[in-house]
DNA sequence: CTGTTAGCGCCTTCAC
DNA sequence: GTGAAGGCGCTAACAG
């Protein structure tokens, strides 16, 4: 015969009775209010400990209209970039006793809408969102209608100047291009552009502008596809042309690693004959051979920044919106 | 002047009044009860739509003692293996209207305890846990005391036969070893063992047993370290010995990729002179050059299975505990 | 099939 | 400093 378990979870009234105080006093102890005498506090805390009391935030939320939860809705949580971003969010939250719901829109605006709705029903205090490809202003309008604080990460729904954390892709690509030119490369190709979200556009535009500024010949962009694919045939074609590229900047590290493998199968020396630069600096970038030169976009930092910005927004709903831009850094290894 | 916004969120009573029914009826509509007439349901739903009503699950939870939330506490969420597992959990949850809190224990039992406590305060219905290295039975005892349903994934706290989803590492390693022996390799080394959690033990034991069964010479294990490091010096030493290994089975893909890079720097032909086999089949395994032969441990499936098992446990708290073992599969590519 | 009543566990206000 | 009362939004139990 065990002791009483979940038959009746101990609540604040039980604690109060046992400690010989009122519910209100026990509640104050719970929230570390200075209004309660040290001795009383001590006694109540001991009772809580002894009875195995668990603070029922659900009940508190109902009263306070604040849940200390946020939502994190990403377009693809199994992507290592996003999982590191998630870790950053976590870290910032851990400090502030916030707990985080996670959802994966899998790039589907409909699924994303469902998930936001669901989180909304759970009364999240705020939302960090990387909008699925194809999301439009209605998402933002919805959030506004509900008065739900949110910050966008990496991608931005066009035409809404709101809280936003992103990476200065153009700056990273500038640095990478400069590095390539210094090494004597001039025919540089961009590989793997696919989606038309703001982060993808920023990369391609950054590439084109840098190429123009440096007076480099313009080569066709090698298209990308779903799930970090790219058009291998197009790459082969351009490699076989009379003026083949000498270097590539890739949409991300995953594509860069695939490109490296492809080049080496074609017996093209990566780093010597041909330079490859990736983007993100995933852990697999440093482990590859040759080690991948890449533009570190610091997902952990992006996540932390987004979580902190959201906290600010939640505490000051009317404050001016803020755009945070994380500056990436070129990590030179062996591939370029 | 905007219309009324969050000044007073519309609640079920508002809906009921507007639709000319009672709160109870509106509540039944909300939960798709068959007890309500089709016409009434229709009318109420339209009102909900029109008023922008949002179901307040927090309030419902208070009443029902069920929140439709679960917790997912992992030892390292930025590890691609775990992020894919998370996607699997998500997918299973999405179907059942469950929403998922995520937490990263970062291999710290103390942090893990804090996070579980926090989730508990939010009244999660159940927990999926990959225990941090160093967790002991107290974690389980705690969960039991609270009557919180849980399932462990991948790692198991010793001596507690409870709901558990894992991978049959030994079977995977058997298959890999057989593959190597068929290819004529006999001196096989295991690289990168580090932690002493059950999943790490299972791999090493599987390796040793397979080696014994196949009558292979026994070589020293190359130790691993935090963050997927391994002892490079020890590998060099054994490579320089009079009877160097001809193949390696690595603790996971991340280590395998690093080992491949190291070998190629030493001008050892991976796939030809020396075979390398990884574990997990991360996306970077197929993108590497040479493409990594690896034991696919199917994290997505593990996640889905864990989520479903947890659902079963939640709906039948007293049912016998269940151990699910996912059988991995050797994916033969170029490195072995 | 629909309405009434009585809380779920907590926090806030206001007395004392 | 502490106690008593009321209510957050919802649902369970029952009455009609």
């Amino acid at each position: 015969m065990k002791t009483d378990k979940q038959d009746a979870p101990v609540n604040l009234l039980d604690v109060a009775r046992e400690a010989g105080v009122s519910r209100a006093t026990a509640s104050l102890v719970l929230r570390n209010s200075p209004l309660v005498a040290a001795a009383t506090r001590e006694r109540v805390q001991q009772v809580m400990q002894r009875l195995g009391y668990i603070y029922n935030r659900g009940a508190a939320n109902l009263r306070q209209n604040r849940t200390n939860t946020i939502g994190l809705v990403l377009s693809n949580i199994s992507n290592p970039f996003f999982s590191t971003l998630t870790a950053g969010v976590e870290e910032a939250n851990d400090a502030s006793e916030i707990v985080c719901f996670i959802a994966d829109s899998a790039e589907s605006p409909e699924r994303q809408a469902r998930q936001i709705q669901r989180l909304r029903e759970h009364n999240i205090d705020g939302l960090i969102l990387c909008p699925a490809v194809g999301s439009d202003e209605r998402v933002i309008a919805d959030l506004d209608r509900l008065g739900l604080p949110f910050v966008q990460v990496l991608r931005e729904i066009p035409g809404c100047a709101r809280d936003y954390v992103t990476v200065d892709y153009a700056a990273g690509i500038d640095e990478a291009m400069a590095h390539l030119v210094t090494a004597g490369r001039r025919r540089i190709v961009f590989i793997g552009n696919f989606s038309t979200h703001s982060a993808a556009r920023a990369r391609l535009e950054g590439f084109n502008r840098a190429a123009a500024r440096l007076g480099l010949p313009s080569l066709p962009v090698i298209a990308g596809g779903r799930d970090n694919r790219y058009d291998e045939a197009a790459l082969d074609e351009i490699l076989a042309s009379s003026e083949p590229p000498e270097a590539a900047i890739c949409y991300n590290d995953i594509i860069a690693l695939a490109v490296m493998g492809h080049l080496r199968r074609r017996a093209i020396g990566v780093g010597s004959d041909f330079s490859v630069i990736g983007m993100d600096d995933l852990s697999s970038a440093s482990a590859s051979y040759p080690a991948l030169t890449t533009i570190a976009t610091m997902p952990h930092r992006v996540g932390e920044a987004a979580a902190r910005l959201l906290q600010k927004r939640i505490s000051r709903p009317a404050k001016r919106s803020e755009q945070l831009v994380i500056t990436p850094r070129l990590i030179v290894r062996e591939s370029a």
Side-chain angles (χ1 to χ4, degrees), chain A:
Chain A
M1 187 71 78
K2 300 280 184 61
T3 63
D4 55 326
K5 270 198 203 175
Q6 68 264 47
D7 344 52
V10 8
N11 64 17
L12 210 45
L13 183 55
D14 300 333
V15 171
R17 270 206 281 259
E18 181 78 13
V21 299
S22 78
R23 251 199 347 258
T25 305
S27 175
L28 292 176
V29 170
L30 210 49
R31 287 170 292 147
N32 291 317
S33 161
L35 295 178
V36 59
T40 312
R41 171 194 313 288
E42 182 77 7
R43 186 154 42 90
V44 173
Q45 278 170 341
Q46 275 174 8
V47 171
M48 285 178 174
Q49 187 76 32
R50 184 151 52 76
L51 264 44
Y53 170 71
I54 294 198
Y55 185 21
N56 184 336
R57 285 182 194 265
N61 301 338
L62 190 55
R63 200 59 229 270
Q64 296 183 131
N65 254 351
R66 191 172 200 288
T67 55
N68 287 301
T69 62
I70 65 166
L72 178 59
V73 177
L74 300 176
S75 55
N76 175 10
I77 55 179
S78 59
N79 181 324
F81 180 89
F82 283 119
S83 63
T84 306
L85 185 151
T86 304
V89 172
E90 270 303 283
E91 192 140 323
N93 283 343
D94 192 49
S96 37
E97 297 245 324
I98 303 279
V99 85
C100 180
F101 286 112
I102 194 161
D104 186 354
S105 69
E107 299 289 15
S108 152
E110 294 73 34
R111 185 162 164 173
Q112 174 178 277
R114 265 210 326 274
Q115 286 165 329
I116 292 177
Q117 167 71 10
R118 199 131 82 202
L119 294 178
R120 203 31 261 199
E121 295 180 350
H122 281 282
N123 266 307
I124 51 172
D125 294 334
L127 179 68
I128 296 177
L129 174 69
C130 176
V133 170
S135 309
D136 58 27
E137 335 72 54
R138 280 174 304 174
V139 179
I140 306 293
D142 240 46
L143 263 20
D144 280 347
R145 194 170 43 76
L146 305 169
L148 182 66
F150 67 93
V151 356
Q152 293 176 85
V153 281
L154 302 172
R155 304 176 186 173
E156 191 179 24
I157 291 184
C160 80
R162 309 301 288 279
D163 287 336
Y164 179 40
V165 180
T166 189
V167 171
D168 189 348
Y169 295 109
I173 288 179
D174 271 2
E175 197 180 346
M177 301 279 272
H179 174 75
L180 290 174
V181 167
T182 303
R185 311 293 195 192
R186 292 194 56 80
R187 293 195 301 284
I188 305 175
V189 70
F190 189 83
I191 301 180
N193 208 67
F194 171 49
S195 313
T196 56
H197 53 73
S198 62
R201 271 198 310 278
R203 291 177 216 198
L204 188 53
E205 281 168 15
F207 175 80
N208 287 332
R209 270 207 300 274
R213 187 166 346 104
L214 294 164
L216 304 180
S218 115
L219 299 180
V221 168
I222 308 290
R226 207 161 260 295
D227 290 330
N228 293 307
R229 307 261 173 203
Y230 70 95
D231 187 345
E232 237 174 50
L235 176 57
D236 278 336
E237 190 177 327
I238 199 174
L239 283 170
S241 69
S242 59
E243 298 249 286
E246 308 153 315
I249 298 217
C250 299
Y251 181 76
N252 63 26
D253 284 350
I254 302 178
I255 288 181
L257 293 172
V259 167
M260 285 211 299
H262 186 70
L263 291 171
R264 310 193 79 237
R265 275 186 197 89
R266 295 274 178 280
I268 298 176
V270 172
S272 46
D273 305 338
F274 193 107
S275 300
V276 174
I277 295 186
M279 170 109 58
D280 284 348
D281 193 30
L282 304 183
S283 67
S284 45
S286 57
S288 72
Y289 179 78
L292 182 63
T293 293
T294 188
I295 301 164
T297 52
M298 296 178 280
H300 197 278
R301 201 172 297 179
V302 173
E304 278 181 298
R308 272 201 295 268
L309 181 51
L310 182 58
Q311 285 320 308
K312 279 210 267 183
R313 169 64 57 205
I314 289 170
S315 50
R316 304 215 296 115
K319 79 183 251 301
R320 275 190 52 207
S321 69
E322 206 170 318
Q323 273 80 37
L324 254 48
V325 179
I326 305 285
T327 304
R329 210 155 52 80
L330 183 70
I331 312 278
V332 178
R333 297 203 179 96
E334 300 165 343
S335 71

